Amino acid sequence: MTTLQEMYASLDIDAQVLAFGEHILENLKDRFAAIDETAEYNQLKVIRAMQKARVSEACLLGTTGYGYNDIGRDTLEEVYANLFHAEDALVRPQITCGTHALALALMSNLRPGDELLSPVGKPYDTLEEVIGIRDSKGSLKEYGVSYSQVDLLPDGSFDYDGIRAAIHEKTKLVTIQRSKGYEPRKTLSVERIGELISFIKSCKPDVLCMVDNCYGEFVERIEPVEVGADMVVGSLIKNPGGGLAPIGGYIVGKKECVENAAYRLTSPGLGKEVGASLGVLPAFYQGLFLAPTVTASALKGAIFAANIFETLGFSVVPNAKEDRFDIIQAITFGKPEAVISFCKGIQAAASVDSHLSPEPWDMPGYDAPVIMAAGAFVSGSSIELSADGPIKPPYAVYMQGGLTFPHAKFGMLKALQNLKNDGILTKEQCERMTF
Ligand SMILES: *Cc1c(COP(=O)(O)O)cnc(C)c1O
């Protein structure tokens, strides 16, 4: 048994599903070549940033206890600053997740009486409790920081008049989420983020602009600091950890913003000076090194998914043809059993926990039961192939990740096979898979 067909058959992908997948891939060659070129560019960008910071073997060692003079940690922060064209960076395993990194950036740079503005609509679900949109202990609202929001216009463009009207003397910080998260809107390109920041600064030059960069890193050739962001924030168990970082978050940007975050993460007076790196530095460095090609694999997986499910008549965001600015693919199935069947298929394609079957549950921070498929080496890592969907209308699933394209491809075929086996695809949809 040495053919691909036989190998897929041994993993319960039938000939029809495989042939359909191959047919879809035939038409994606040019797009995949363009993605590879961006990955090449970004790979060189990472190497250049590491060389400039003179990363050495000693940087991989790590410290314990207080972590004074942790050369690996400090050099890695210099690498991140170089890479993102930022004045300074905070890259730490003590930042527990993306939400924590964002909360840290906000809480350390806002003071009682200040106002936070989101000019791009509702932020990511877990930030609702950080801000106090949903009442929560320790929220910004409890500390006297108010919040205002301007939604995008129905066509997805910025509501410039609304934003101008919402900015006043109390407005201290503006939060801009690059990725769509669980919202049906489009993801913002770095270029569009730049246009928005220019406009905001023209209304009020001293307002701080923060970008939630989750899922956006390395998808394009530029990052948000290059278009004027004061702070850019993300998670290391997404794109920049390259699948190897087992924990962590980052904040890059203006020196003063990063310092404020460091004093809040550790303590006033201590800041960046403490915080042992323990044993995580090799994974942080090597993960960053791999991140451009890993992100490219995830991007190809998302485009493959869009093309499969759009061909079958489902609504997909982004659609099969449009440009990509993050690695997330939304597929609207319209019924809960399809969301569940899709996620079970993704789980069944994993290397870890493929024998388990995910079920919807009430996750902390979310307002509806969520099903999550994640057979990951790093628990909860969403740069690894994963899918999740809140069990509420319009019954959409959000898939992302794939450390290698062959895995992302297998996952998508497995999800499709599961939908077919569960009788969720209509007769007409099954016919569309044959040509
Ligand atoms: C994932 C994500 C977050 C939160 O990150 P966690 O690590 O899940 O806490 C915030 N914003 C966006 C856009 C995200 O995708």
Side-chain angles (χ1 to χ4, degrees):
M1 182 194 89
T2 52
T3 69
L4 266 176
Q5 283 86 339
E6 287 166 326
M7 178 53 88
Y8 276 114
S10 77
L11 290 160
D12 301 319
I13 301 295
D14 71 27
Q16 184 196 27
V17 166
L18 179 60
F20 177 59
E22 296 299 348
H23 173 74
I24 294 285
L25 279 177
E26 271 302 306
N27 297 317
L28 295 175
K29 289 204 166 113
D30 291 347
R31 282 190 82 185
F32 281 17
I35 290 170
D36 286 336
E37 200 178 287
T38 297
E40 184 176 344
Y41 182 94
N42 286 329
Q43 178 74 78
L44 295 172
K45 201 162 79 168
V46 169
I47 293 170
R48 190 178 61 183
M50 290 195 182
Q51 291 181 348
K52 192 171 167 219
R54 302 176 67 90
V55 174
S56 62
E57 199 180 344
C59 293
L60 303 173
L61 291 176
T63 55
T64 56
Y66 293 102
Y68 294 133
N69 303 311
D70 185 324
I71 167 193
R73 175 197 68 204
D74 295 348
T75 304
L76 182 68
E77 288 177 341
E78 196 183 327
V79 170
Y80 265 73
N82 290 344
L83 181 65
F84 285 95
H85 298 265
E87 291 174 12
D88 204 355
L90 189 66
V91 186
R92 302 281 168 132
Q94 288 83 10
I95 300 176
T96 56
C97 63
T99 304
H100 185 193
L102 289 157
L104 185 61
L106 292 172
M107 293 181 164
S108 59
N109 283 285
L110 288 161
R111 295 289 178 270
D114 288 342
E115 186 157 292
L116 168 68
L117 168 68
S118 171
V120 296
K122 192 178 92 58
Y124 195 74
D125 289 39
T126 57
L127 283 193
E128 292 186 10
E129 282 169 285
V130 172
I131 295 167
I133 300 171
R134 275 185 284 143
D135 277 329
S136 181
K137 282 213 185 339
S139 68
L140 284 165
K141 188 177 159 194
E142 269 197 356
Y143 284 89
V145 174
S146 56
Y147 171 71
S148 79
Q149 176 177 315
V150 177
D151 291 337
L152 295 171
L153 293 172
D155 68 355
S157 61
F158 301 126
D159 179 1
Y160 285 118
D161 293 336
I163 295 168
R164 189 186 295 106
I167 294 176
H168 49 80
E169 75 280 4
K170 282 173 58 185
T171 310
K172 171 78 182 296
L173 201 155
V174 171
T175 178
I176 302 166
Q177 186 178 307
R178 179 169 172 183
S179 172
K180 64 184 162 297
Y182 287 118
E183 293 298 297
R185 66 146 165 111
K186 285 193 194 314
T187 286
L188 303 175
S189 66
V190 173
E191 190 185 350
R192 282 190 72 207
I193 289 172
E195 287 160 16
L196 180 58
I197 292 174
S198 298
F199 176 76
I200 288 163
K201 298 267 182 185
S202 77
C203 297
K204 193 177 183 208
D206 63 350
V207 78
L208 295 172
C209 292
M210 180 187 91
V211 175
D212 174 352
N213 209 25
C214 283
Y215 290 130
E217 298 91 349
F218 302 120
V219 173
E220 299 179 67
R221 296 182 189 202
I222 55 169
E223 297 289 343
V225 174
E226 293 162 77
V227 296
D230 300 291
M231 253 194 305
V232 175
V233 183
S235 163
L236 297 195
I237 63 167
K238 293 179 180 172
N239 308 16
L244 293 186
I247 191 170
Y250 75 89
I251 299 172
V252 297
K254 290 268 158 61
K255 191 161 190 59
E256 196 187 335
C257 295
V258 172
E259 264 173 4
N260 284 338
Y263 288 128
R264 170 101 195 183
L265 176 65
T266 63
S267 154
L270 301 182
K272 292 179 77 180
E273 309 277 329
V274 297
S277 56
L278 305 174
V280 301
L281 288 172
F284 280 16
Y285 277 104
Q286 200 175 353
L288 181 65
F289 175 80
L290 293 177
T293 50
V294 168
T295 302
S297 299
L299 210 47
K300 290 175 186 172
I303 292 169
F304 183 49
N307 281 269
I308 285 182
F309 289 100
E310 190 175 279
T311 304
L312 294 180
F314 294 106
S315 144
V316 295
V317 179
N319 70 33
K321 297 251 151 44
E322 71 190 279
D323 287 339
R324 301 267 157 170
F325 306 112
D326 69 9
I327 63 166
I328 314 284
Q329 182 62 49
I331 307 160
T332 301
F333 286 112
K335 39 187 177 184
E337 58 274 21
V339 171
I340 293 168
S341 175
F342 180 94
C343 289
K344 286 184 191 291
I346 296 289
Q347 184 81 30
S351 321
V352 178
D353 287 341
S354 66
H355 52 288
L356 303 183
S357 189
E359 297 291 341
W361 65 296
D362 288 307
M363 280 182 60
Y366 296 85
D367 66 357
V370 179
I371 182 167
M372 294 210 156
F377 295 102
V378 170
S379 180
S381 166
S382 46
I383 186 62
E384 296 189 50
L385 182 63
S386 49
D388 40 87
I391 305 298
K392 62 181 182 186
Y395 300 106
V397 83
Y398 298 79
M399 65 78 49
Q400 63 273 315
L403 298 184
T404 67
F405 178 67
H407 182 211
K409 175 181 173 182
F410 175 49
M412 238 17 71
L413 296 178
K414 198 81 182 156
L416 179 59
Q417 184 77 57
N418 220 35
L419 287 163
K420 183 183 165 188
N421 296 352
D422 287 347
I424 288 165
L425 298 181
T426 62
K427 189 158 162 286
E428 200 230 326
Q429 283 170 327
C430 287
E431 276 160 16
R432 270 195 237 181
M433 285 201 277
T434 315
F435 28 85

